Amino acid sequence: MKNCFVAMPFLVVFLAQSVHAEPAPGLDKLLLLSMEDLLSLKVKISTNTDQTLSKAPSVVTVITAEDIRLTGATNLRDVLQGVPGVYVRSNLFGFRPQVTFRGAAAAHTLLMVDGVPMRDQVWTAGIFAKGLPTNMIDRVEIIRGPGSALFGSDASAGVINVITKSAGRIEQSEAGLRVGSFDTQAGWLQHGGSWNGFDIGITAELAHTEGYNPFITVDGQTSRDQRFGTQVSYAPGHVGYGWNNQDIRFSIAKENWRLLASHMAHLDVETGLSGAGVLDPLTEGNDQRFDAAVLYNNEAFAPNWNLNAEFRFYHLDYTSGNGFQERPPGYTDATGTYPDGLLNRMSSAERGLSLDVGGVFTGFKKHAIRVGGGHSLKNLYRVEQYVNFGTGADGNTLTAGGPLVNLSDTPYAFAPERIRRISHLYLQDIWAISHDLELTAGARYDYYSDFGGTLNPRVALVWQSTDRLTSKLMFGEAFRAPSYLELYSQTSANLPNPDLTPERSNTWDLSFTYAASKNLKLGLDLYQFKQTNIIGFDAHTQFQNIGNRTSHGIEFEAKWQATKTLRVAGNLTQTEEDDTAFRSYSLPGRKAYLRTDWRFQPNWNWNVQANWIDKRELPLGDPRAPMKAYTLVDTTVRYLHGADWEFAASIRNLFDEDARDYSSSSIPNNLPLPGRSVQAEMMYKF
């Protein structure tokens, strides 16, 4: 309730400003974008060269900053929920967003920011991952399907490239504030301009939230208490999911050169629950990442040649602070009692360098041939771990109730300090067979210093079947490189395997885009996605390449400009999986999304979104009831006062639906998702 009162002044100003409103060209620009304009949007994610959306040799979705702004979304995770074939699962550990495509695990999704993979060598997507703030986003380009032929590892099921607002792209400077439920506050700033002949761009956002704190009646410690006659569980109790966010970006550009630098940090992250579903009120972790890049792009480098080159550097580190508290104080098992509980304090740091050089040759008639390669070095140079349970630094089992023991620089730390070197070469040809038929074929070879090489081809035929219909037939192979945890790290739960090979996949897509009328666009995609060499556990809990999984599905989407002031969009997804041990029970087989935008006054827009998630069966042996279907409805009203001021108010989960995500079986009713919440924001442009 406190947050509702905090938001009231914003709402009063919001309503009062409407009396003297001027027409808002920004809303007109969005809602009057024709279907032809939408299909003519240029994207780079499919071929690393500019192509129209209709001719891109992949199943591509583009989400612009204007699309995001009208929904009131504040984080990338909210933006992606409306994409066909995509489901963002909330993990019980830190409420981390795990972006999944077509029923595959999140590890098979490659998330990039300005072309940089947001991956690390140990935790893949990041142990404290929280998504990305939307105010720094210029557009999001998404491939539903394989992308390893262009981007290498992890691009098996889908690829997301977030393009930030940078030098030359920021049309207007702005500052904004936001408040909302869960004691959430955020402030942001963006500025673009010129300085001594250089374009410059700056974006920054600072945010704090106490987080959604669901109430858990039973956790993973409750059954232990019953077994050993103790009462140490924190359940029933609330899960802590608060955190602070920093995102600061600077860019400068001139002619063919561009410099990008960014700093991202998640601070005081409450993980809330351990991976075993045990309440953990102790852990407040931190991570930070710094990226810098020098980019060169010359469209007229030489006759029939363009050239692009990228040199990048990153540094990131993690620390669990005084946690992780795997079990609460007083925990008892067969070995004895732990007065401080089970403590596992961890930290790591890594840095990396990469160079990529490529070019496009257009000297052959009807062909555009891209060739290039590069090398990267990823150095996990610091690993520290302190524990009071399990195996000690000498390889012997630690005594219950003892002090923390330093495992750093021993074979028993959670990961080794190692350097991974990766070299890659790629070749791609776009062949315009005729004015209405285009063939794209290519392959990329990656060589890893720790497990060897992998070749990933792809081919796509794009046919402008009629003036209104575009048909695409596509095939691609992809891979996921084993992580350091899987290759080298011995823990109490698993044994590593340095002989692991990459997980493999291949995908067939048959896609149709149909302009039914000037104002109605329809899309249909049929796919088969097969994964092999999936990494899992054997009978001795050692990682092995032992799994296979096949899924097929259908994705349908539509966009309708009903009137000059009303746009309706939606999609339906259905995925069917074979019945194997690697079936993704945690992900829905069917989902649907509906969005409407109505400019009901010259300066006002009303957005409504509805996400329907079908019921889910649980794995065999899980005693819990199947997860029920649910629909989440969000709504945002946005008002523009002239060219300077903008105000918005949003309600998330409007009908306070009891929605839940799959979690550890120790949580009887799975993980509750946030109930109804509100937020209000104001923005000044200058």
Side-chain angles (χ1 to χ4, degrees):
M1 289 299 294
K2 177 182 71 173
N3 294 316
C4 294
F5 287 111
V6 171
M8 285 301 292
F10 289 86
L11 296 176
V12 171
V13 175
F14 176 13
L15 295 172
Q17 292 285 342
S18 64
V19 178
H20 306 291
E22 297 290 337
L27 295 180
D28 287 331
K29 177 182 177 182
L30 176 66
L31 292 179
L32 295 180
L33 194 62
S34 70
M35 294 299 141
E36 183 179 354
D37 292 334
L38 287 172
L39 293 174
S40 299
L41 284 172
K42 293 293 184 75
V43 296
K44 294 191 68 171
I45 195 169
S46 289
T47 59
N48 266 341
T49 56
D50 285 328
Q51 282 189 303
T52 62
L53 189 61
S54 62
K55 288 190 174 183
S58 302
V59 184
V60 181
T61 299
V62 178
I63 304 172
T64 66
E66 289 81 6
D67 289 327
I68 297 170
R69 181 168 57 97
L70 294 184
T71 67
T74 61
N75 192 287
L76 179 64
R77 66 178 294 161
D78 302 320
V79 175
L80 296 175
Q81 289 284 25
V83 178
V86 175
Y87 178 72
V88 184
R89 178 190 168 202
S90 299
N91 189 280
L92 58 80
F93 179 85
F95 210 67
R96 292 182 301 166
Q98 297 183 318
V99 183
T100 66
F101 282 74
R102 297 176 168 180
H108 296 277
T109 297
L110 177 62
L111 171 62
M112 302 185 295
V113 177
D114 292 323
V116 180
M118 294 290 103
R119 292 289 198 179
D120 62 71
Q121 298 306 296
V122 181
W123 312 110
T124 59
I127 193 168
F128 300 129
K130 287 292 186 179
L132 296 162
T134 56
N135 288 306
M136 42 76 76
I137 297 176
D138 181 67
R139 61 198 278 144
V140 184
E141 297 182 355
I142 301 163
I143 289 178
R144 307 195 308 270
S148 288
L150 286 175
F151 306 112
S153 180
D154 306 320
S156 300
V159 182
I160 303 164
N161 188 28
V162 177
I163 301 169
T164 63
K165 298 175 181 178
S166 59
R169 294 194 180 109
I170 300 176
E171 298 179 354
Q172 196 167 12
S173 300
E174 69 178 41
L177 295 171
R178 181 188 309 113
V179 296
S181 299
F182 316 130
D183 193 22
T184 300
Q185 306 100 33
W188 69 92
L189 173 72
Q190 73 175 39
H191 173 68
S194 298
W195 172 76
N196 287 340
F198 291 87
D199 292 327
I200 59 172
I202 300 171
T203 64
E205 175 169 313
L206 303 177
H208 163 81
T209 181
E210 291 297 318
Y212 169 58
N213 302 138
F215 186 76
I216 302 294
T217 57
V218 174
D219 74 347
Q221 178 59 30
T222 303
S223 61
R224 288 274 186 170
D225 283 350
Q226 295 170 350
R227 179 180 175 186
F228 289 95
T230 56
Q231 294 182 344
V232 300
S233 172
Y234 290 108
H238 288 276
V239 182
Y241 283 144
W243 57 295
N244 298 312
N245 184 69
Q246 297 176 0
D247 191 293
I248 302 170
R249 299 174 185 273
F250 171 77
S251 55
I252 185 168
K254 186 174 184 179
E255 297 177 350
N256 301 319
W257 294 89
R258 181 177 294 267
L259 170 67
L260 306 176
S262 65
H263 171 77
M264 297 181 289
H266 306 114
L267 306 174
D268 304 320
V269 179
E270 297 176 327
T271 56
L273 288 161
S274 72
V278 177
L279 281 165
D280 174 10
L282 178 65
T283 303
E284 291 190 1
N286 298 296
D287 73 18
Q288 58 180 349
R289 176 173 179 135
F290 173 76
D291 284 272
V294 178
L295 312 178
Y296 176 79
N297 185 51
N298 190 339
E299 298 291 336
F301 178 75
N304 300 318
W305 277 98
N306 74 21
L307 178 71
N308 61 277
E310 301 178 355
F311 178 73
R312 300 182 184 270
F313 167 82
Y314 77 88
H315 175 274
L316 64 88
D317 59 72
Y318 301 97
T319 176
S320 65
N322 291 326
F324 304 106
Q325 190 171 72
E326 309 284 1
R327 295 284 176 174
Y331 169 76
T332 300
D333 62 15
T335 64
T337 299
Y338 295 81
D340 298 323
L342 301 187
L343 294 175
N344 182 9
R345 295 179 182 171
M346 308 165 70
S347 65
S348 66
E350 68 177 77
R351 62 172 68 102
L353 295 169
S354 66
L355 174 67
D356 185 281
V357 179
V360 177
F361 178 69
T362 56
F364 298 132
K365 186 178 180 180
K366 297 185 177 181
H367 290 267
I369 300 173
R370 170 171 283 277
V371 61
H375 183 79
S376 61
L377 180 151
K378 302 176 185 295
N379 182 10
L380 180 64
Y381 67 89
R382 177 171 60 81
V383 173
E384 296 179 355
Q385 186 176 18
Y386 296 81
V387 298
N388 67 350
F389 67 98
T391 303
D394 58 2
N396 295 319
T397 301
L398 296 176
T399 302
L404 287 169
V405 173
N406 187 0
L407 300 184
S408 309
D409 300 317
T410 75
Y412 306 101
F414 66 88
E417 295 178 359
R418 292 182 66 101
I419 295 176
R420 171 179 273 180
R421 294 179 173 86
I422 309 168
S423 299
H424 68 272
L425 296 171
Y426 54 84
L427 177 67
Q428 174 184 268
D429 180 23
I430 303 175
W431 177 21
I433 300 173
S434 65
H435 75 281
D436 58 4
L437 191 63
E438 192 168 86
L439 177 69
T440 299
R444 170 167 161 154
Y445 178 76
D446 290 83
Y447 184 84
Y448 282 68
S449 59
D450 48 0
F451 64 77
T454 174
L455 178 68
N456 294 275
R458 70 141 175 185
V459 61
L461 186 65
V462 180
W463 178 30
Q464 189 69 48
S465 312
T466 70
D467 291 340
R468 294 186 175 187
L469 176 65
T470 301
S471 306
K472 303 178 183 181
L473 178 62
M474 297 159 285
F475 173 80
E477 296 186 357
F479 76 103
R480 182 185 77 85
S483 71
Y484 277 14
L485 287 179
E486 294 163 331
L487 288 167
Y488 310 118
S489 177
Q490 179 172 329
T491 69
S492 59
N494 58 68
L495 297 172
N497 184 353
D499 296 323
L500 290 173
T501 58
E503 296 181 325
R504 303 285 307 170
S505 70
N506 63 70
T507 305
W508 285 94
D509 279 279
L510 179 60
S511 176
F512 303 95
T513 302
Y514 181 60
S517 69
K518 180 180 179 181
N519 296 319
L520 178 61
K521 173 199 163 188
L522 305 175
L524 178 68
D525 186 68
L526 309 171
Y527 70 86
Q528 177 181 281
F529 176 44
K530 183 176 182 179
Q531 295 178 275
T532 57
N533 277 358
I534 296 176
I535 297 172
F537 299 109
D538 64 12
H540 304 288
T541 68
Q542 184 180 42
F543 286 116
Q544 301 285 353
N545 293 103
I546 57 176
N548 298 304
R549 170 186 173 272
T550 300
S551 67
H552 57 273
I554 182 170
E555 298 162 352
F556 172 77
E557 55 186 321
K559 292 183 178 180
W560 179 36
Q561 188 72 56
T563 70
K564 290 184 177 180
T565 60
L566 177 64
R567 172 168 288 182
V568 182
N571 58 72
L572 299 167
T573 299
Q574 178 161 335
T575 301
E576 299 286 345
E577 298 189 59
D578 56 3
D579 193 12
T580 71
F582 290 87
R583 182 177 179 179
S584 301
Y585 288 96
S586 62
L587 306 177
R590 293 188 297 174
K591 63 185 289 283
Y593 171 78
L594 180 65
R595 168 180 175 167
T596 62
D597 285 282
W598 180 29
R599 181 169 58 86
F600 59 92
Q601 290 291 331
N603 306 330
W604 295 77
N605 188 81
W606 183 17
N607 170 270
V608 179
Q609 300 179 93
N611 268 292
W612 173 76
I613 304 299
D614 195 13
K615 61 184 180 181
R616 284 162 278 177
E617 299 292 331
L618 298 182
L620 291 176
D622 193 320
R624 297 173 295 178
M627 300 180 66
K628 297 179 180 179
Y630 63 84
T631 302
L632 297 180
V633 177
D634 303 329
T635 185
T636 297
V637 177
R638 184 167 295 271
Y639 166 69
L640 280 72
H641 180 63
D644 299 332
W645 287 95
E646 189 169 327
F647 303 88
S650 301
I651 304 176
R652 303 294 175 194
N653 193 357
L654 176 65
F655 300 110
D656 204 22
E657 182 87 349
D658 180 15
R660 295 172 184 265
D661 246 334
Y662 178 84
S663 65
S664 167
S665 59
S666 60
I667 309 296
N669 296 316
N670 285 294
L671 181 67
L673 298 181
R676 184 187 297 116
S677 63
V678 299
Q679 67 183 36
E681 68 178 40
M682 65 178 182
M683 181 193 311
Y684 178 70
K685 299 181 179 182
F686 54 95

